[in-house]
Structures are given as structure tokens and as C-alpha cells.
Amino acid sequence: QVQLQQSGPVVVKPSQTLSLTCAISGDSVSSNTAAWNWIRQSPSRGLEWLGRTYYRSRWYNDYAESVKGRITVSPDTSKNQVSLHLSSVTPEDTAIFYCAKQSFDSTAYGGIDYWGHGTLVTVSS
Amino acid sequence: DIVMTQSPLSLPVTPGEPASISCRSSQSLLQTNGHTYLDWYLQKPGQSPQLLIFSVSNRASGVPDRFSGSGSGTDFTLKISRVEADDVGVYYCMQAIQIPRTFGQGTKVEIK
């Protein structure tokens, strides 16, 4: 059973960098059949996919245009975790942030089948 | 970006009765490999979203068979054959054919 344990500050000041970590158990961040996503949810934006990282002989990243230039999603293979960094935050970045695993490979797709518990991050001075 | 549009946005239901939610995408979700990348998720009150259906009609592990998905191209439907009290929450469709992944606005299902 895969478990995703999120951690990180719940309050971030405007213009600073939001940093969250997702510790993975029951799977490997380097799995060839998984992608590790960050998704946020707010009343104004609903569910918004932000970005992902995955390993297929090398590491790949994809990011939403809405946050490109401010976002980095990176794996830490030594700790089996994935991190989110979102720079230059504003109050509009206030949201619940979810780490989530998507199962897929070249022949099969299995949906976003595991979600973290969510972290409410408030951007406020 | 692909726009996902759900209807209705609110759905009062009677336990034991069927329910249906529609999801429409602004582009076809049919990939050249023959697969269609449309998922359904349920977010119960106070919880993270959970996967119900992937690739239009495949139930996720542990999902009761009263949930079914259908559709093709740009039009999709989630059906609950007999609603139970535990089915309340917000249902979302999501397209997984293109980056960025995009979600519908959500359909709030509540018991009458």
C-alpha cells in the first residue's frame, strides 16, 4: 500500500518560496510505472494540476504554464521523496497542496491512484 | 489547455435511486493508441480526492460496482446505480491526455 506523507511550512510570506516535501512509502520515487504530481485546490481555482516528475531511464518534468518559471518539482532518491518549490508566492497561491501518484507506463494507465493528505498553505505577511 | 465542463454542479439524490453526472471536454480525449484518458474522482468531506474510474470505464481497486463510467471522444458520464449515504461529496472528472492535466468544476452530490 502506497502512502504519501506531506510536510512543510503552513504559512509563507509573500515573495518567499513555498517548499513542501512528500515522503513515499510502499513505492519508489524512481519507479518506472509512476509519476509524482503536485496538485493544489482553492475555492477560486478548484483543483489545479501544477507539475510532476517521473523516471524513465532519465528524469522528466512537466509543469503547468500558470506556474512555470516559479515551480520546481524534484526527486530525492536517497530519501525516497519528492519536493515542491514554488517561488515568489502571493496570497493567490494560498491553497491546499496535494502530493499524488499517477500510475502509468508505455502500455498502461491507472489514474492518480494515491493522494497525500493535503497541506493547507497560507501566504500571508 | 483542455477545458472540462461538468453538469450538474449540484445533485440532490435519494438513497437507493440512480444518479448521473456528465462531463464534456473541449477536445477529444482519444489517444492514437486507442485509449481514452478520462478519470473520475470523488472528494468526500474533509478528505483528499480518491480515484473512482480511470480510462473512462475502469473501476479503481475497491470501488463498488454500483459506480460505472461510459462515454467517448468528448462526452462522458459517471453513473451510480443506487446511491448510498456514503457516496456524498464532490465528484470531479479529469483529462489525462495532455499536460496540463485539467479538472472539471466538480459536482456536489448530497442526500435529499
Side-chain angles (χ1 to χ4, degrees), chain B residues 59-79:
Chain B
R59 278 188 301 275
S61 176
V63 174
D65 60 7
R66 64 177 184 276
F67 291 92
S68 64
S70 63
S72 63
T74 61
D75 287 288
F76 305 93
T77 302
L78 175 70
K79 292 183 179 177

Side-chain angles (χ1 to χ4, degrees), chain B residues 38-110:
Chain B
L38 185 282
D39 301 338
W40 289 96
Y41 297 86
L42 165 60
Q43 187 171 30
K44 294 183 178 181
Q47 297 186 16
S48 304
Q50 61 187 77
L51 178 65
L52 288 178
I53 302 280
F54 62 94
S55 298
V56 179
S57 59
N58 297 276
R59 278 188 301 275
S61 176
V63 174
D65 60 7
R66 64 177 184 276
F67 291 92
S68 64
S70 63
S72 63
T74 61
D75 287 288
F76 305 93
T77 302
L78 175 70
K79 292 183 179 177
I80 310 173
S81 59
R82 295 173 307 279
V83 173
E84 297 185 3
D86 190 50
D87 299 337
V88 299
V90 182
Y91 290 76
Y92 296 94
C93 59
M94 186 201 84
Q95 63 79 17
I97 195 173
Q98 189 182 97
I99 295 295
R101 307 297 191 227
T102 48
F103 294 84
Q105 321 95 298
T107 296
K108 186 173 184 179
V109 171
E110 53 190 5

Side-chain angles (χ1 to χ4, degrees), chain A residues 66-93:
Chain A
S66 61
V67 292
K68 194 172 276 188
R70 295 199 295 135
I71 187 173
T72 303
V73 177
S74 55
D76 183 334
T77 56
S78 66
K79 296 181 180 178
N80 202 37
Q81 63 187 30
V82 60
S83 296
L84 166 71
H85 298 284
L86 185 65
S87 64
S88 304
V89 296
T90 72
E92 287 65 45
D93 292 309

Side-chain angles (χ1 to χ4, degrees), chain A residues 37 39 41 46-49 52 62-65 98 102 104 106-113 115-118, chain B residues 1 33 35-39 41 43 47-51 54-55 92 94-96 99-105:
Chain A
N37 299 259
I39 295 164
Q41 184 174 32
L47 284 167
E48 180 186 16
W49 180 89
R52 68 176 181 175
D62 294 301
Y63 298 125
E65 284 295 328
Y98 295 101
Q102 182 176 21
F104 80 103
S106 59
T107 60
Y109 170 75
I112 300 179
D113 47 2
W115 296 67
H117 52 80
Chain B
D1 297 358
N33 62 8
H35 293 287
T36 301
Y37 292 93
L38 185 282
D39 301 338
Y41 297 86
Q43 187 171 30
Q47 297 186 16
S48 304
Q50 61 187 77
L51 178 65
F54 62 94
S55 298
Y92 296 94
M94 186 201 84
Q95 63 79 17
I99 295 295
R101 307 297 191 227
T102 48
F103 294 84
Q105 321 95 298

Side-chain angles (χ1 to χ4, degrees), chain A:
Chain A
Q1 180 79 342
V2 175
Q3 291 189 324
L4 305 175
Q5 183 65 41
Q6 299 177 215
S7 60
V10 295
V11 179
V12 181
K13 289 181 170 27
S15 80
Q16 294 192 341
T17 296
L18 179 161
S19 296
L20 294 174
T21 298
C22 175
I24 302 162
S25 58
D27 203 342
S28 169
V29 69
S30 304
S31 168
N32 282 306
T33 59
W36 306 96
N37 299 259
W38 286 96
I39 295 164
R40 68 181 176 183
Q41 184 174 32
S42 64
S44 58
R45 296 173 178 264
L47 284 167
E48 180 186 16
W49 180 89
L50 298 175
R52 68 176 181 175
T53 190
Y54 60 99
Y55 185 78
R56 300 291 186 272
S57 301
R58 68 172 178 89
W59 288 101
Y60 292 85
N61 286 99
D62 294 301
Y63 298 125
E65 284 295 328
S66 61
V67 292
K68 194 172 276 188
R70 295 199 295 135
I71 187 173
T72 303
V73 177
S74 55
D76 183 334
T77 56
S78 66
K79 296 181 180 178
N80 202 37
Q81 63 187 30
V82 60
S83 296
L84 166 71
H85 298 284
L86 185 65
S87 64
S88 304
V89 296
T90 72
E92 287 65 45
D93 292 309
T94 294
I96 299 172
F97 287 77
Y98 295 101
C99 167
K101 175 196 169 186
Q102 182 176 21
S103 294
F104 80 103
D105 60 24
S106 59
T107 60
Y109 170 75
I112 300 179
D113 47 2
Y114 293 95
W115 296 67
H117 52 80
T119 301
L120 174 59
V121 180
T122 301
V123 179
S124 172
S125 53

